[in-house]
């Protein structure tokens, strides 16, 4: 089997998965209605790995669209230290594509016992996590054979968006064009292929974004590290300017997620700063054509809160292409375990 075959297939199937999720809006609306009836005063998100990046996306969605304060759980406070905080009136969302992570299961069981309304977001409807939570949603991505998460990450993002949108009374209208937009993004390969050739010899890369796009900037760093063994770090645009920018030089490649909207507007100052320091900047997103960058990968425009779902598609193609160009098989990365088993 050709190197990267599983990852290639799972990148390409994402428009179909988005369509399937849009067809499941009725099921998502039922869960959303149950959440809305409970009127939570705070949201808590628990996840690991790529799912943790999806949870960061949900944090922005909930704080901006629902106007609720949100925290990211530290599972070790439950599993190592035995913390059992009072979670009355808290919405606890646990995100895990396998639904088998012991620490997330422990957090969910403990949270439910301490009064939280628990919701599991998984790719395994019959998983222990889905059974432990009061409510659950299947991201409907199908069996994942690639080691590096691709379709499960984007499907989780869309599921979380549809859930939050439904909680606020929406019907997912802004997401209806995503399957077609995703097909367009995946088919326009020229800029990605050029980026592969440009960065195939890079030793280190910094990824950055602001607002909703920060989640996919973090996912980008993970994908580059686990498939191409690049030394990749991710910073929010604001944090990058407060210290780490001092380490940016002409030997540094910077991958910036920049789409139309407030997040994309605010990242321009960051790109100007790293560009002045001589960094080789690759801009990905609907605002990429206007970005101060050495290389640009445009992405179809959509509502800003949905941009990360599309932005990750060329990121995944870039990670796959770089792995193959550097002589690696992303379907057989060194020492990578697909399921997080930490307690």
């Amino acid at each position: 089997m050709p190197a990267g075959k599983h990852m290639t297939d799972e990148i390409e199937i994402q428009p179909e998965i988005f369509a399937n999720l849009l067809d499941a809006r009725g099921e998502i609306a039922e869960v959303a209605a149950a959440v809305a009836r409970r009127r939570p005063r705070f949201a808590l998100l628990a996840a690991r790995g790529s799912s943790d990046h999806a949870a960061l996306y949900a944090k922005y969605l909930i704080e901006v669209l629902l106007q609720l304060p949100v925290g990211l759980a530290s599972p070790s406070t439950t599993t190592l230290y035995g913390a059992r905080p009072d979670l009355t009136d808290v919405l606890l969302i646990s995100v895990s594509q396998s639904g088998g992570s012991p620490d997330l299961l422990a957090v969910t069981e403990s949270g439910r016992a301490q009064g939280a309304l628990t919701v599991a977001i998984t790719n395994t409807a019959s998983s222990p996590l889905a059974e432990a939570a009061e409510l659950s949603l299947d991201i409907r991505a199908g069996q994942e054979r690639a080691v590096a998460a691709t379709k499960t990450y984007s499907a989780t993002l869309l599921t979380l968006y549809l859930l939050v949108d439904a909680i606020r009374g929406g019907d997912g209208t802004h997401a209806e064009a995503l399957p077609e937009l995703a097909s367009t993004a995946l088919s326009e390969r020229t800029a990605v292929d050029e980026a592969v050739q440009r960065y195939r010899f890079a030793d280190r890369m910094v990824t950055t974004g602001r607002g909703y796009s920060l989640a996919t900037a973090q996912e980008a760093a993970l994908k580059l590290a686990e498939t191409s063994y690049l030394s990749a770090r991710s910073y929010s645009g604001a944090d990058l300017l407060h210290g780490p920018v001092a380490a940016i030089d002409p030997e540094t490649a910077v991958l910036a997620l920049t789409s139309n909207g407030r997040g994309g507007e605010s990242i321009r100052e960051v790109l100007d700063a790293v560009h002045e320091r001589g960094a080789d900047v690759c801009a990905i997103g609907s605002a990429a054509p206007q970005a101060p960058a050495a290389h640009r990968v445009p992405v179809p425009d959509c509502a800003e809160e949905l941009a990360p779902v599309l932005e990750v598609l060329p990121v995944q193609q870039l990670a796959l292409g770089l792995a193959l160009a550097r002589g690696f098989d992303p379907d057989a990365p060194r020492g990578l375990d697909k399921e997080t088993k930490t307690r």
Side-chain angles (χ1 to χ4, degrees):
M1 183 171 62
K5 179 66 164 56
H6 291 324
M7 189 173 179
T8 299
D9 290 345
E10 292 180 0
I11 290 173
E12 295 299 323
I13 202 173
Q14 289 173 102
E16 179 181 331
I17 293 170
F18 297 166
N20 290 339
L21 276 170
L22 288 165
D23 288 341
R25 278 178 285 179
E27 175 187 332
I28 295 172
E30 290 179 6
V31 172
V35 172
R37 284 194 296 270
R38 292 281 287 271
R39 300 177 64 85
R41 296 295 301 156
F42 186 86
L44 191 61
L45 300 161
R48 293 287 195 191
S50 289
S51 294
D52 198 36
H53 304 152
L56 177 59
Y57 171 68
K59 184 176 190 295
Y60 275 86
L61 289 174
I62 294 170
E63 289 185 349
V64 176
L65 303 184
L66 300 183
Q67 300 287 296
L68 284 178
V70 183
L72 297 176
S74 299
S76 61
T77 62
T78 297
T79 59
L80 298 184
Y81 299 100
R84 298 292 187 272
D86 182 356
L87 297 183
T88 304
D89 295 330
V90 171
L91 169 63
L92 172 60
I93 301 177
S94 300
V95 186
S96 169
Q97 71 94 2
S98 70
S101 175
D103 56 350
L104 298 184
L105 180 60
V107 168
T108 302
E109 291 174 337
S110 173
R112 187 170 182 178
Q114 298 303 316
L117 170 59
T118 52
V119 180
I121 309 292
T122 81
N123 193 40
T124 311
S126 60
S127 66
L129 184 64
E131 293 175 358
E134 185 174 342
L135 303 167
S136 65
L137 285 174
D138 182 356
I139 68 171
R140 299 169 179 258
Q143 181 184 5
E144 187 172 57
R145 301 181 69 188
V147 176
T150 53
K151 64 179 184 176
T152 52
Y153 173 74
S154 60
T156 301
L157 294 190
L158 182 53
T159 301
L160 287 165
Y161 169 79
L162 292 172
L163 173 63
V164 172
D165 185 55
I167 292 172
R168 66 170 176 170
D171 60 3
T173 298
H174 291 309
E176 288 177 348
L178 275 183
E180 181 179 354
L181 295 177
S183 294
T184 299
L186 289 170
S187 65
E188 296 177 353
R189 288 295 306 269
T190 301
V192 173
D193 291 341
E194 290 173 351
V196 169
Q197 296 307 312
R198 187 178 188 95
Y199 301 109
R200 63 182 299 184
F201 298 113
D203 291 322
R204 59 191 175 118
M205 182 174 285
V206 169
T207 68
T208 188
R210 291 206 71 185
Y212 296 107
S213 295
L214 176 58
T216 289
Q218 293 192 352
E219 176 67 7
L222 175 60
K223 283 293 155 285
L224 293 167
E226 69 185 358
T227 60
S228 304
Y229 314 133
L230 265 169
S231 177
R233 291 288 303 273
S234 181
Y235 299 95
S236 77
D239 289 340
L240 182 57
L241 290 183
H242 292 165
V245 71
I248 301 295
D249 58 27
E251 300 301 314
T252 308
V254 175
L255 190 156
L257 281 303
T258 174
S259 287
N260 293 319
R262 296 182 182 182
E265 292 170 3
S266 66
I267 202 72
R268 287 189 63 86
E269 177 187 0
V270 180
L271 297 188
D272 286 337
V274 298
H275 187 71
E276 288 175 3
R277 297 188 66 84
D280 191 307
V281 179
C282 176
I284 295 179
S286 57
Q290 294 78 43
H295 190 73
R296 302 173 180 87
V297 181
V299 172
D301 195 16
C302 65
E304 182 182 5
E305 58 265 30
L306 284 164
V309 184
L310 294 178
E311 289 168 344
V312 77
L313 304 180
V315 165
Q316 294 168 350
Q317 289 177 323
L318 177 61
L320 170 63
L322 283 175
L324 297 175
R326 292 158 72 95
F328 306 126
D329 182 358
D331 286 340
R334 299 187 299 238
L336 186 63
D337 193 341
K338 191 166 180 62
E339 182 177 336
T340 303
K341 298 183 173 67
T342 309
R343 278 194 66 88

